[in-house]
Amino acid sequence: MRTASYVARAEALLGEGDDDERVLLVRARVAAARYADPRSALETYRTYAAVADRARSPLAQLITVTLRGFAAHGAGDEEAAAHYAITTRAMALHLGLSGWYVALLADKVHRMIRGAYPPDAILVVVREVRELMADASLPTTESYLVVLGAEIEALVRAARLADAEAVAREALGVAAAAGLGSFPLAMALLGLYVHQARVPELAALADRIEADAPPSDQARVHVLCIRAQHALLTNKAERGLQLAEEICSAPPGTVGLPYVIHWAHAELVAARLLLRDVAGAEAALQRSEALLRERPSVWCSAMAMRQHGFLLIGQGRLAEARQKLEATVATFGVVGDVIQTFVARIILARIAVAGGASDAEAQEARVHEELARHHATIAPELYRFTVGIVAPPSSERLREPSLTERLVVAVERLSVPGFQPDLIPRELGSVLRAVFPGREVLVDGSGIVSGEGEMADFGAGGRFGVRGALDTEHRAALRLLSMVALRITDDGAPVTEEEVAVDTVLPGFVAAAPATRRLKAEVAQLSRSSATILIDGESGSGKEVVARAVHDLSTRSQRPYVVFNCASIPRDLFESQLFGHRRGSFTGATGDNLGVVRAADGGTLFLDEIGELPLEMQPKLLRFLENGEVLPIGETKARRVDVRVVAATHRDLVALVREGRFREDLFYRLNVVPLRVPPLRDRKEDVLALARLFISRLVPEGTDPPHLGADAVTALMAHRWPGNVRELRNLVERAMAYAPIPRVLHARDLRIDERSS
């Protein structure tokens, strides 16, 4: 209510053109509503979305994109939310908002903990935050504690418990020194203590975190998690059940709740099973699985599969439980969680004991030996907890799984949402070895597999299969796996930093293909650098778009961006055009001329077609690059300038150096940071995105842009594009030039000249 009152008073003070200030008020409204109820916050954003879209200043635009990401997340559109999150981070970095950038990275790493990211990937982001905190001398915030908590969790998953303990001591000290509550570290410390066999210390840990925590639902639920885990591991199942239910009923607007509530639902299943309430455990599992469908999480899905295995044990269905636990082991293995993989393997060994397997004890001993090699152990309380659940009411004897049973496990493993694209081939290989034991597995992301075998597709040109011929039943299994894999790749995996185009920052830089996504990521990473860049690529491939992006994302973006085409200037005018001249310094010099270098002072100079630079001009350009000084024609004193140079060429400069037509020292001075723009034929994913962009730009104002028909899509994707992006734009412009513009553009409307292919 107080926020609403302040917002109303501020609104009354604003004038007609105060759009950026109104964006701040939209943010305040949404933030206030978010603490009450996410649905209410989402409706609040939708009510004021048009106001937020009128943002003018970079900071207001950043707030608007942040709000769009919140709305996408609230609506369950995680792909769009990921796009907005990456865009927001790029904008914050571009604006030099280091504190905001750390907060955004904290949100990113928090999502990574729940996702399909291995510990090493999480630690890369943590390292970036640590370096930024040190370089910018930023104060400790709650966001930084979230990052340190993620570091502890990643180290625990990697079985680096000593390193995790060191970070835990550091993090608690940092929180105390900054006067901050340590509750953002709660889940990480909980996992560390359990896997360090420090279960008796959990009660004291909960007391410590509760003592320094602010009075908030967020802090309370994290403390409840520690108390619930302590209760369950110390034979107080009723108390653990009560606390887990309390967590699950926390207000929906509680910040940080999704990760915690996934955990609490899993513990509800365990608590019910310890109390021998199989029906209650089944109901709790259904709630957990419904939550995962609404908010997918690879790591939490693996935890839910493990609890499902527990439930199947409680129902006396050991063979099915083994399948579920085998899928759990595989999923934890793919995301690099060593500790949870060991825990799941111990449960499998206990299932083997319950099922009368002759080597069950040996299986469990091997797991403990491997744990010891990692300097880790299973806490006695956790072991007793596991054994207490794995106590089936029947004496079902285990047998070797059938092909159908192995296939069920495989499909379940492949159906876990959220796997990163580069993990899919690895998971397919593991699945194939489980479904076809003893057979040589073939998997290749490019579709090129040596040798003969039964093969199937898994999308994006990839193929997989096994060596040698298969019978009808096994061939059908392979086809089914192909259908599942194709669905996964068609649905798409979570968007990563390298995969998304930062359209709000660089609206003209389309990056749908992997090659251009990587290029765009490189450009973003160069935002803080002033190094000279040499862009290489075929004519019409988009080198100038890349050069402009380099400038727009740099700290020089508010300074001049000057283009100089080396192929369009007469040789005798090169020097005066580049470096300037004084009036009367040569015939025709009727006035002073700054030259493009001085015109770009403080900003960026783009030297297009640098390969056409006359040989006699090359030493002078080299001298400027080395000294940062220019000597205009007719002057005797050099002038100092601060210019970042970006050059581009479609020529092979190395060949020109060999032929003596381009100076070697100049080449190396320009080639400090090389960027390669691939031809359009090598990035076919960009074709349709570019075509739609050009259509939207060329359509007359007030007219709906036409759609591309299926035959037009086929024709565009089949063309070789010798003229690259320039040819594509001309083709679209030609199609849009004829009236009336159809609602659907077909292949005949595009008038593609196949003779150019």
Side-chain angles (χ1 to χ4, degrees), residues 3 47 163 189 192 217 220 244 251 353 355 370 455 531 551 564 755:
T3 301
T47 301
D163 293 338
L189 294 174
L192 176 62
D217 289 324
R220 186 177 66 86
V353 170
E370 291 179 49
M455 303 300 297
H551 173 75
F564 182 80
R755 292 174 300 177

Side-chain angles (χ1 to χ4, degrees), residues 158-340:
R160 294 168 54 185
L161 298 184
D163 293 338
E165 170 65 21
V167 176
R169 287 196 299 270
E170 174 197 359
L172 287 169
V174 165
L180 295 172
S182 54
F183 69 90
L185 305 169
M187 298 304 291
L189 294 174
L190 172 58
L192 176 62
Y193 276 38
V194 168
H195 296 301
Q196 283 185 319
R198 296 166 61 185
V199 171
E201 299 176 44
L202 287 176
L205 175 65
D207 290 342
R208 173 178 179 170
I209 293 177
E210 188 171 41
D212 67 25
S216 67
D217 289 324
Q218 182 184 15
R220 186 177 66 86
V221 295
H222 284 82
V223 172
L224 289 178
C225 285
I226 300 176
R227 298 199 187 285
Q229 185 74 90
H230 183 250
L232 290 172
L233 294 179
T234 53
N235 300 317
K236 301 183 181 71
E238 288 280 5
R239 177 60 175 159
L241 176 65
Q242 176 190 348
L243 292 171
E245 287 282 12
E246 193 173 342
I247 296 166
C248 292
S249 61
T254 304
V255 177
L257 186 63
Y259 182 33
V260 172
I261 205 168
H262 276 308
W263 178 91
H265 275 85
E267 294 308 304
L268 274 180
V269 178
R272 293 287 183 186
L273 287 171
L274 284 173
L275 295 168
R276 298 293 179 252
D277 179 6
V278 176
E282 189 168 12
L285 181 67
Q286 289 172 355
R287 288 168 59 187
S288 177
E289 291 173 342
L291 182 67
L292 282 165
R293 285 192 294 273
E294 181 182 347
R295 292 283 184 266
S297 162
V298 172
W299 191 86
C300 295
S301 292
M303 291 294 288
M305 283 194 289
R306 188 175 78 182
Q307 304 309 82
H308 196 171
F310 280 152
L311 175 62
L312 291 167
I313 294 168
Q315 295 171 331
R317 297 153 62 184
L318 293 190
E320 293 174 69
R322 180 176 62 183
Q323 294 172 22
K324 193 68 66 173
L325 266 297
E326 286 172 349
T328 304
V329 167
T331 302
F332 278 134
V334 167
V335 300
D337 194 327
V338 176
I339 291 290
Q340 291 298 343

Side-chain angles (χ1 to χ4, degrees), residues 577-661:
Q577 291 295 307
L578 266 177
F579 304 124
H581 62 256
R582 290 291 302 273
R583 178 181 178 183
S585 56
F586 58 87
T587 304
T590 57
D592 291 342
N593 177 21
L594 279 178
V596 294
V597 174
R598 282 195 290 168
D601 194 12
T604 304
L605 173 62
F606 175 45
L607 298 175
D608 200 6
E609 299 299 347
I610 192 68
E612 309 304 321
L613 186 68
L615 195 58
E616 63 271 18
M617 279 300 303
Q618 293 178 21
K620 298 178 181 181
L621 179 61
L622 177 63
R623 188 163 55 248
F624 154 63
L625 292 173
E626 290 179 339
N627 302 329
E629 295 180 344
V630 297
L631 182 63
I633 299 174
E635 294 194 7
T636 58
K637 184 179 179 181
R639 295 174 179 264
R640 190 99 185 142
V641 289
D642 173 26
V643 175
R644 200 258 186 91
V645 172
V646 178
T649 182
H650 73 281
R651 305 284 295 273
D652 184 347
L653 291 188
V654 175
L656 292 181
V657 169
R658 284 198 302 266
E659 296 166 7
R661 297 162 59 193

Side-chain angles (χ1 to χ4, degrees), residues 194 422 552 722:
V194 168
D422 57 342
D552 288 346

